Amino acid sequence: MSAPEAFLVVARAANGTIGANGTLPWHLPADLKHFKALTMGRPMIMGRRTFESLPGLLPGRRHIVLTRDPEWSAPGVESAPDPESALALADAPEVAVIGGSDVFAAFLDKAMRIELTEIHADYAGDTVMPPFDPNQWREVNRERHPTEADRPGFDFVTLIRRGARP
């Protein structure tokens, strides 16, 4: 099998926040549903802290954790020491990279697509991700969701690497 196509799945607040104390600082049920649709049936690559922030194993998806600790393990989880090993382990046409920030940074040059949830509010947090370089990425789809009650507005945005086919 040829190398899998890696794509990033990122939810980011207007100020760049992607996490706070190991959790998402917002609760958007539509984003959770979108995440599930994007990742179902695919291997997911994540860092150890991202894995530990999950409520448990997510059904219908393989969990591949990047870790520098060769002794680390968890039931139902595969581990890899580096991005190349994780992609080889995935052995699938597409692989969702779900965070955190160090893992996103490690896969940014390997990804051909980013599935981004742009949240139209600022949130305090300890994990941030800068905007994507418009010279490297172009938007091919945007689905707008307005503010509702106590939930901020947000957009689902698909970015593809410039030069790649949509």
Side-chain angles (χ1 to χ4, degrees):
M1 172 176 271
S2 62
E5 182 176 311
F7 66 98
L8 308 185
V9 181
V10 182
R12 182 178 64 207
N15 63 345
T17 297
I18 64 171
N21 300 316
T23 64
L24 295 174
W26 50 78
H27 180 69
L28 296 172
D31 184 47
L32 297 174
K33 183 178 178 182
H34 185 64
F35 174 86
K36 182 177 182 179
L38 289 169
T39 60
M40 185 57 73
R42 293 178 176 85
M44 300 182 305
I45 297 174
M46 67 202 84
R48 181 189 47 78
R49 288 183 302 226
T50 296
F51 172 73
E52 291 171 352
S53 75
L54 298 176
L57 292 175
L58 303 178
R61 292 155 271 195
R62 284 176 51 209
H63 296 65
I64 300 172
V65 172
L66 275 181
T67 178
R68 294 179 198 98
D69 180 356
E71 302 299 315
W72 184 89
S73 69
V77 176
E78 301 164 84
S79 63
D82 56 63
E84 293 74 21
S85 299
L87 288 171
L89 186 60
D91 191 32
E94 281 192 321
V95 178
V97 177
I98 66 167
S101 61
D102 290 345
V103 175
F104 287 140
F107 278 90
L108 191 58
D109 289 342
K110 297 170 182 20
M112 296 304 289
R113 183 173 97 231
I114 300 170
E115 296 292 345
L116 173 65
T117 301
E118 288 182 344
I119 299 163
H120 304 301
D122 290 339
Y123 284 88
D126 53 16
T127 310
V128 297
M129 184 168 207
F132 299 105
D133 182 349
N135 294 317
Q136 292 185 10
W137 299 96
R138 68 184 170 98
E139 183 176 317
V140 295
N141 191 50
R142 179 175 294 266
E143 181 182 316
R144 297 183 191 281
H145 297 263
T147 300
E148 286 184 12
D150 61 341
R151 295 193 175 115
F154 59 93
D155 295 351
F156 294 140
V157 181
T158 301
L159 305 171
I160 62 168
R161 186 172 297 285
R162 290 199 178 274
R165 287 193 234 154

